[in-house]
Amino acid sequence: MEKSIGKKFGSTEDPLLVAVRSGARDSMPGMMDTILNLGLNDETVQGLIAVTGNERFAYDCYRRFVQMYGDVVMGVQPQDHDAHEPFEMVIQQIKEQKLGDKEALDVNLDAAALKEMVKRFKKLIKEWTGQDFPDNPADQLRGAVGAVFGSWNNDRAIIYRNKYHIPHAWGTAVNVQAMVFGNTGDDSCSGVAFTRDPATGEKVFYGEYLINAQGEDVVAGVRTPDPVATLAVKMPKAHRELEEVRGTLEKHFREMQDFEFTIQDGKLYMLQTRNGKRTGVAAVRIACEMVIERLLNWKDAVAR
């Protein structure tokens, strides 16, 4: 990975950052854990600032990483369903102190506020767990890989497998990918999309994205995403590429796909794809239309 990207893991000059994701045989969207921006610490964040010339972006990545790692790996989570999320409480305090409004958007916080957030997150982790946040990127990676494997057995994942009759014995893979960033500015974004409409089955490109955001923001509901069709106006080249990828995926899998993408500085990166969940109506329409499009034979369509 270092060779192909030309960056070094743990480097203080131009650090390679990674995402650690689950990869089970059957699609289990949102059930297992993901950790982004791994490899950052107080030294490597300076390298990221030097390379990008963007201090706000670097500290935004850093605070997201500390929050995800603290939650997923170190177990800083509410003790019951009614309790407030500990990291969100800190974010609200900082918004109130810096912006005078705890409901303000995260994007309004400057680099200094995000730097302060990293400090408070680390203090929170120490208070909750009695342990320091790990600074060594190799230790961070070991911890993250273990936690993602472990998330196969979290309550959500077990309930989901029971509901959809997925064998518990299968286990999951863990994928380690080089990070790309949808939060470097206004020509970057993160999105999720379906190759067809999952509610009706209509053959339209369906999905949403957020400008200047990472993937977690799109699904977390912190800001309202834009429909993927508007990318044709905002980033026409990337939208054309996405349309091509949409066709390629359907030809290959002969199934409606649900995929995640990031556009960094105008360049499109595909992160992952899986068979998309759909309504009964959509399932029938997609199967019938895929026969007409010669992606499926009629026997396979009926079997679906």
Side-chain angles (χ1 to χ4, degrees):
M1 210 190 280
E2 287 176 334
K3 209 177 277 179
S4 67
I5 285 182
K7 296 172 185 282
K8 237 173 149 38
F9 190 58
S11 161
T12 54
E13 284 162 21
D14 187 3
L16 166 66
L17 304 181
V18 297
V20 182
R21 304 168 178 274
S22 62
R25 279 165 64 172
D26 215 319
S27 170
M28 294 172 56
M31 295 301 114
M32 287 176 291
D33 293 315
T34 297
I35 295 161
L36 306 178
N37 306 319
L38 189 144
L40 283 172
N41 57 33
D42 292 344
E43 280 77 46
T44 57
V45 76
Q46 296 305 321
L48 190 59
I49 293 167
V51 169
T52 60
N54 189 335
E55 188 183 20
R56 191 202 174 280
F57 157 72
Y59 275 104
D60 189 38
C61 293
Y62 194 7
R63 65 99 180 178
R64 289 165 188 272
F65 168 50
V66 176
Q67 180 175 355
M68 278 187 203
Y69 199 93
D71 173 359
V72 172
V73 182
M74 303 186 80
V76 181
Q77 295 168 348
Q79 299 306 300
D80 60 63
H81 292 304
D82 298 326
H84 292 295
E85 211 281 315
F87 290 109
E88 287 303 323
M89 300 268 289
V90 174
I91 294 171
Q92 285 188 352
Q93 285 166 4
I94 288 178
K95 283 179 188 171
E96 205 156 5
Q97 288 161 1
K98 305 284 182 186
L99 305 170
D101 177 8
K102 66 179 182 183
E103 303 302 324
L105 296 176
D106 295 7
V107 288
N108 297 332
L109 291 168
D110 63 9
L114 295 169
K115 192 173 182 179
E116 174 64 22
M117 201 180 283
V118 170
K119 261 194 216 149
R120 292 198 203 175
F121 280 176
K122 287 185 175 182
K123 189 168 171 248
L124 179 72
I125 289 169
K126 179 75 172 175
E127 283 165 5
W128 273 64
T129 66
Q131 294 175 299
D132 289 317
F133 178 81
D135 281 330
N136 183 319
D139 293 340
Q140 293 172 355
L141 185 57
R142 267 191 295 275
V145 168
V148 175
F149 274 131
S151 70
W152 174 258
N153 285 322
N154 70 32
D155 291 343
R156 320 189 276 281
I158 290 169
I159 291 165
Y160 187 93
R161 287 198 295 277
N162 287 338
K163 183 177 178 184
Y164 291 103
H165 310 293
I166 297 169
H168 295 292
W170 276 2
T172 183
V174 174
N175 301 307
V176 181
Q177 294 174 304
M179 275 298 297
V180 287
F181 302 97
N183 58 330
T184 55
D186 288 340
D187 58 350
S188 301
C189 71
S190 291
V192 291
F194 291 82
T195 54
R196 301 183 188 222
D197 187 323
T200 66
E202 187 187 351
K203 192 177 181 182
V204 290
F205 193 15
Y206 180 94
E208 50 192 26
Y209 69 96
L210 270 176
I211 298 272
N212 199 11
Q214 286 201 330
E216 294 297 305
D217 302 337
V218 183
V219 291
V222 180
R223 286 192 274 151
T224 307
D226 293 314
V228 81
T230 62
L231 261 181
V233 178
K234 292 184 179 171
M235 300 183 198
K237 182 173 173 286
H239 185 266
R240 279 195 303 276
E241 281 182 73
L242 273 171
E243 284 284 11
E244 269 176 50
V245 167
R246 178 186 164 209
T248 303
L249 289 174
E250 285 212 340
K251 276 196 195 90
H252 178 80
F253 290 105
R254 299 183 304 121
E255 258 285 24
M256 177 186 87
Q257 293 296 293
D258 163 9
F259 62 80
E260 293 180 29
F261 65 92
T262 290
I263 296 168
Q264 178 179 329
D265 303 328
K267 185 175 162 74
L268 173 68
Y269 295 90
M270 300 303 296
L271 306 182
Q272 61 179 14
T273 190
R274 54 196 166 212
N275 291 344
K277 301 284 180 225
R278 68 208 75 179
T279 63
V281 170
V284 173
R285 179 169 178 177
I286 289 167
C288 292
E289 291 187 358
M290 282 190 168
V291 173
I292 297 163
E293 292 162 32
R294 302 199 169 167
L295 289 173
L296 283 183
N297 63 47
W298 69 268
K299 285 185 179 172
D300 287 339
V302 171
R304 282 188 188 176

